[in-house]
Amino acid sequence: MSPARSTDGPRSDQTPIHVAIIMDGNGRWAKARGLPRFEGHRRGVEALRRAVRSAIEHDVRYLTIYSFSSENWRRPPDEVAVLMGLLKRFIRNDLADLHKNAVRVRVIGERESLAPDIRVLLEEAEAITRENRGLSLIVAFNYGARHEIVAAARRLAMEARDGRIDPDSIDEESFASRLDTADIPDPDLIIRTSGEMRLSNFLLWQAAYAELVFMPILWPDFDEAAFVAALEQYAARERRFGAVIKPTAVMTAS
Ligand code: FPP
């Protein structure tokens, strides 16, 4: 991994502050090669490592990855077990490297229904990296946007019932502050791989103004070139008039 970047340095308006990724296509990647689905997920973790490296290289400050959705429990139990195992291995194997690179790990999603050992690992990853000021890596695990939104509404309703807030004072800001992403800026760019064109219950509130980039590449093949291609699409959309500055050029200048 390249040296850590602080979140305080200069940056270009052309570079998204927050990139979120729906990592899709592991199963199709494996199927195309006559391999079991879990091999696609395993190679997906390698693509995830490349994405983290690319985000640091290109001065992205927040990277959210959709690792396990609340709907993924409907998959066959052995596939669910593989995904749980990969998360554990990712945290155990990569945490030291992430920490060394000043990455702050954060987790969004519903934790209560996760196995205790996974909860402990996620909490440790957050605690160990809490003071880091480089890339924030937000792991959406057992995450579903509708669930998150309902939970925020419930929190506000309970606070109003208990007289702690005035219902008339509820606005977008107070609502957003009850979401899992409370102190995280909204994503500027959401990438989905594998050619599917939907959000699949990912960051529905936060995606209100995000640029969406759908790429045909299957997730295990995702590399720095694909990351740069997505950043370039974003930059082109941001600048309707005038030249597009390549994020790589920005990186060299900063
Ligand atoms: C979608 O591929 C991907 C997922 C359901 C999970 C994403 C998981 C990884 C990239 C690896 C695990 C990483 C961690 C940190 C847990 P799919 O299986 O839906 O692919 P398909 O649509 O082609 O079948």
Side-chain angles (χ1 to χ4, degrees), residues 23-28 37 41 45 48 67 72 75 87 219:
M23 309 180 288
D24 196 10
N26 295 348
R28 273 162 284 171
R37 288 178 62 82
H41 294 314
V45 177
L48 168 58
S67 307
N72 284 155
R75 294 187 177 216
L87 175 75
W219 178 251

Side-chain angles (χ1 to χ4, degrees), residues 12-15 231-232 235-236 239 242-251 253:
S12 158
D13 287 347
Q14 299 289 319
T15 308
L231 293 187
E232 284 177 343
R239 289 191 148 184
V244 172
I245 300 168
K246 279 191 175 182
T248 43
V250 171
M251 200 191 79

